[in-house]
Amino acid sequence: MAQEEVKEAKVSSEENLNPSTVVIEMARSSTALSPPSPSWFTPKRLLVIFCVINLINYVDRGAIASNGVNGSRRTCSKSGTCTSGSGIQGDFNLNNFEDGVLSSAFMVGLLVACPIFASLANSVNPFRLIGVGLSVWTVAVVGCGFSFNFWTITICRMLVGVGEASFISLAAPFIDDNAPVAKKTLWLGIFYMCIPTGYALGYVYGGLIGGHFNWRFAFYGEAILMLPFAVLGFVMKPLQLRGFAPAESKKALTSIETAALEVQDADVSVVKGSMKSSKSKCAFIDLNQFSRFMRDIKELLHEKVYVVNVLGYIAYNFVIGAYSYWGPKAGYNIYNMSNADMIFGGVTIVCGIVGTIAGGYVLDFINSTISNAFKLLSAVTFVGAIFCFSAFCFKSMYAFLAFFAIGELLVFATQAPVNYVCLHCVKPSLRPISMAMSTVAIHIFGDVPSSPLVGVLQDHIDNWRKTALILTSILFPAAVIWFIGIFLHGVDRFEEESEHPQVTTIDRSNTTPLLDGKAAGTAQTLAEP
């Protein structure tokens, strides 16, 4: 009698189960022990590849800012004698404002594409996204070389931003995942060292190509360098990103979920019809993706540590962006540097490498915490601002170079700590969107408006020394903002989610079991009526 009651209860409970839930849960339980197959990308290889890609990205920005590629406008004396211009500015006869727009145009593409790529990481292989982005970047750079007026080169610069968006939001989380625990900030420092180094190499590269050939060839060379990495994004199997499922898992689980939803549709069609159910399902998926994105943004904006960190980064990037674009031209005009590209390039390479790596090493040495990161950020930015401001007060070129080099070294030490805070003040599944929105913010409010605004200021006062001093003074508010971050309660949330979180709903971003072919076949068999 007791056995019959148990059987009846079991049958009753099974009848109440949702068929789709049975399919998904049985598939997950049958594959939970399947380990992901190893990737060719060892952590060190990953770091090297990402560093080279980042370097090429910023070589492009340095090249378009160099005197060799950017050039100068046509000038006419009072007597009526005119000299032909050189480079982009001379060929297209651009004023300083239009010239500054070229340095910021990429942000239009970056602003649109960055959140999209970060969100797609939930359902698409991140390395494939990087491959798509770098392919767009390569084509756009070639387009810059073939441009024939201001608008064509501006549109191509926008597409360069689209290509870069796929890389910048995903590279740092991958590096942070795979770096040794005691060297996380140092590895981030090595990666972000490529920003000033790339700019500096771009100055030298652009100066050499523009001086000996034509400025258009600089863009063709960049495309050739990037092409192998674009191809690599499509052919190599990636490492797993913390907080996200392996690509194989997502594909298999997608087929399971589709089968499960078909079971649900069969039930619903009895009452409402399969056509109506299908439309409802599509609408639900689209709405769910959008609501997830908005939920992630809301969570970021509620994180005070993240907001303060990004605000300081915006003020900092406002100055650095204008430095990187107008630096060679300002040096040429203030100190009559005939080889400003080479001088600025050499100083920035040394200071960028030493400063950025030193920033990561020091933070690891004093213990990598969010509070210590803010202390380091505020200190080096404040002292660096003093040296940079003082440098532009000297009339001697050698005194300027000495003080400016020390200031640059200190200012570049912020790169690893500021990105460490962005990665560790949010839970792992939010890191791509965290990096994406940080990048969008520092560009749209930082270096995007700074280059054209500095151009307008210079057109108005016609004094590069005063323009440089006004610009440099903005580093002091950046130091103050980061100083405020010291007093915020910052919690390192890197370990908040396990690498294999439990899934209770159909949410592709958090599913982690890796389904092999046998398991996927079993799941499909279970799904058949």
Side-chain angles (χ1 to χ4, degrees):
M1 190 70 177
Q3 291 179 349
E4 291 178 358
E5 291 177 353
V6 170
K7 289 180 179 179
E8 289 177 0
K10 184 176 181 182
V11 170
S12 178
S13 63
E14 288 178 350
E15 288 176 350
N16 292 329
L17 284 175
N18 187 321
S20 63
T21 304
V22 174
V23 173
I24 295 173
E25 293 302 325
M26 292 183 69
R28 285 175 180 150
S29 62
S30 66
T31 59
L33 298 178
S34 299
S37 55
S39 170
W40 175 85
F41 283 113
T42 62
K44 289 184 179 179
R45 285 173 179 170
L46 186 79
L47 178 64
V48 170
I49 289 171
F50 280 171
C51 282
V52 174
I53 294 172
N54 206 27
L55 193 71
I56 298 172
N57 267 322
Y58 283 90
V59 163
D60 171 67
R61 296 198 201 176
I64 198 172
S66 68
N67 285 323
V69 171
N70 188 263
S72 59
R73 294 184 70 185
R74 304 164 189 166
T75 57
C76 294
S77 63
K78 293 181 180 180
S79 61
T81 304
C82 295
T83 59
S84 60
S86 62
I88 296 172
Q89 196 174 18
D91 283 4
F92 301 150
N93 195 29
L94 308 180
N95 58 34
N96 285 331
F97 173 75
E98 291 172 327
D99 197 20
V101 167
L102 290 184
S103 73
S104 306
F106 79 98
M107 184 56 209
V108 176
L110 192 73
L111 174 63
V112 174
C114 218
I116 295 174
F117 279 117
S119 297
L120 285 175
N122 292 323
S123 55
V124 181
N125 185 321
F127 271 42
R128 302 301 175 260
L129 293 176
I130 292 175
V132 170
L134 295 183
S135 299
V136 173
W137 190 97
T138 303
V139 173
V141 166
V142 172
C144 290
F146 284 106
S147 58
F148 52 86
N149 60 20
F150 170 72
W151 288 108
T152 54
I153 193 170
T154 300
I155 292 171
C156 288
R157 297 309 297 174
M158 291 178 185
L159 292 174
V160 167
V162 173
E164 187 177 333
S166 67
F167 175 72
I168 57 176
S169 58
L170 298 171
F174 270 117
I175 293 172
D176 193 52
D177 274 358
N178 295 284
V181 176
K183 297 181 179 179
K184 283 185 177 291
T185 320
L186 178 60
W187 278 40
L188 286 174
I190 293 172
F191 175 70
Y192 286 104
M193 171 196 74
C194 298
I195 294 178
T197 306
Y199 261 122
L201 288 175
Y203 293 154
V204 176
Y205 169 75
L208 290 173
I209 299 296
H212 292 83
F213 303 100
N214 185 282
W215 60 268
R216 299 178 186 274
F217 286 94
F219 294 113
Y220 303 148
E222 293 166 11
I224 293 171
L225 292 174
M226 185 65 83
L227 183 60
F229 297 100
V231 174
L232 194 65
F234 291 104
V235 300
M236 297 308 299
K237 181 178 179 180
L239 294 168
Q240 181 180 347
L241 183 61
R242 177 183 287 269
F244 295 90
E248 295 86 347
S249 171
K250 291 172 185 171
K251 289 179 182 178
L253 196 57
T254 298
S255 64
I256 296 170
E257 292 168 0
T258 302
L261 288 170
E262 287 175 356
V263 174
Q264 289 179 331
D265 288 344
D267 294 337
V268 175
S269 63
V270 174
V271 181
K272 297 182 178 179
S274 59
M275 182 69 72
K276 185 175 181 180
S277 172
S278 177
K279 291 180 180 178
S280 299
K281 179 180 69 177
C282 293
F284 169 76
I285 292 173
D286 292 339
L287 182 61
N288 185 59
Q289 291 175 341
F290 177 75
S291 63
R292 177 183 175 81
F293 173 75
M294 296 307 297
R295 211 166 44 239
D296 290 345
I297 296 298
K298 184 178 180 180
E299 189 169 345
L300 286 178
L301 293 177
H302 277 80
E303 181 58 60
K304 294 180 181 179
V305 171
Y306 179 80
V307 172
V308 169
N309 186 54
V310 172
L311 287 175
Y313 204 7
I314 288 171
Y316 164 89
N317 216 57
F318 188 95
V319 179
I320 298 302
Y323 271 176
S324 61
Y325 192 73
W326 293 114
K329 190 162 290 188
Y332 175 81
N333 284 276
I334 298 173
Y335 297 103
N336 297 318
M337 296 180 186
S338 57
N339 53 350
D341 288 342
M342 300 298 177
I343 294 175
F344 266 83
V347 171
T348 306
I349 286 176
V350 175
C351 296
I353 292 175
V354 176
T356 310
I357 293 180
Y361 178 81
V362 170
L363 185 56
D364 282 331
F365 181 77
I366 64 176
N367 192 12
S368 299
T369 65
I370 291 175
S371 177
N372 283 344
F374 276 125
K375 291 175 184 176
L376 186 60
L377 286 170
S378 59
V380 297
T381 303
F382 184 76
V383 178
I386 293 174
F387 274 93
C388 289
F389 190 89
S390 301
F392 285 105
C393 294
F394 289 105
K395 293 184 178 181
S396 168
M397 183 182 72
Y398 299 105
F400 162 78
L401 289 174
F403 272 71
F404 191 72
I406 297 173
E408 269 202 330
L409 191 148
L410 291 166
V411 167
F412 284 135
T414 60
Q415 288 296 322
V418 72
N419 287 284
Y420 175 88
V421 175
C422 280
L423 288 168
H424 284 254
C425 71
V426 299
K427 60 186 181 182
S429 62
L430 287 179
R431 290 182 305 161
I433 197 71
S434 167
M435 296 304 297
M437 298 315 296
S438 168
T439 303
V440 168
I442 64 173
H443 288 313
I444 196 171
F445 299 112
D447 57 1
V448 167
S450 71
S451 294
L453 287 176
V454 168
V456 170
L457 180 64
Q458 172 58 23
D459 284 338
H460 180 68
I461 65 177
D462 196 25
N463 187 313
W464 276 108
R465 190 187 300 275
K466 290 182 180 179
T467 299
L469 288 171
I470 293 171
L471 174 66
T472 304
S473 63
I474 299 175
L475 284 174
F476 292 105
V480 172
I481 294 171
W482 278 327
F483 182 75
I484 295 172
I486 298 172
F487 303 99
L488 297 177
H489 179 62
V491 178
D492 193 326
R493 303 177 67 183
F494 181 75
E495 298 292 347
E496 185 169 303
E497 293 177 345
S498 64
E499 291 187 18
H500 303 284
Q502 294 297 320
V503 180
T504 56
T505 61
I506 300 175
D507 186 349
R508 294 191 183 99
S509 65
N510 291 325
T511 52
T512 56
L514 181 64
L515 302 180
D516 57 20
K518 182 178 178 181
T522 303
Q524 290 176 354
T525 302
L526 288 169
E528 292 176 357

